[in-house]
Amino acid sequence: MYEIIYHKRVVKFINSRDSKDKKRIKKRFDKLKENPYPSNMEIDIKKLQNRVGFRLRIGDYRFIYDVEDEKLIIYMEEADKRGDIY
């Protein structure tokens, strides 16, 4: 199972959400820890086209992350609303 390391911007973004959204985000992150690649059909993941990494969609929120397989680490780099993250 992978470990998620959060950038402080991501922590700030998650903490600013209401409790309902926080629960939904935590649930999806738990699934992401099992398989952080687009083949995981339980969550909406896409490989980014113009840069290294992946995009995780949770409702109107987008999370940008990269994976280091050797250490089993997911670096959660960015988080924001759909229109503001790209």
Side-chain angles (χ1 to χ4, degrees), residues 1 4 7 11 13-14 16 19 22 25 27 29 34 41-42 51 55-56 61 66-70 72:
M1 185 175 285
I4 299 178
H7 190 279
V11 173
F13 178 80
I14 293 170
S16 68
S19 62
K22 286 180 189 177
I25 291 168
K27 183 178 174 183
F29 281 178
E34 295 171 12
M41 294 304 205
E42 295 181 38
R51 67 186 217 193
R55 184 271 297 154
L56 168 65
Y61 306 133
D66 198 9
V67 179
E68 189 171 330
D69 286 316
E70 298 83 34
L72 296 178

Side-chain angles (χ1 to χ4, degrees), residues 35-83:
N35 179 8
Y37 293 103
S39 64
N40 188 344
M41 294 304 205
E42 295 181 38
I43 52 180
D44 187 357
I45 301 171
K46 289 189 179 177
K47 184 161 178 26
L48 295 174
Q49 298 294 318
N50 296 325
R51 67 186 217 193
V52 177
F54 300 90
R55 184 271 297 154
L56 168 65
R57 182 179 75 86
I58 303 174
D60 287 339
Y61 306 133
R62 302 297 184 270
F63 295 86
I64 305 297
Y65 68 92
D66 198 9
V67 179
E68 189 171 330
D69 286 316
E70 298 83 34
K71 297 181 181 178
L72 296 178
I73 294 176
I74 300 168
Y75 293 103
M76 197 60 64
E77 300 168 355
E78 296 181 46
D80 214 330
K81 291 187 178 179
R82 183 178 63 89

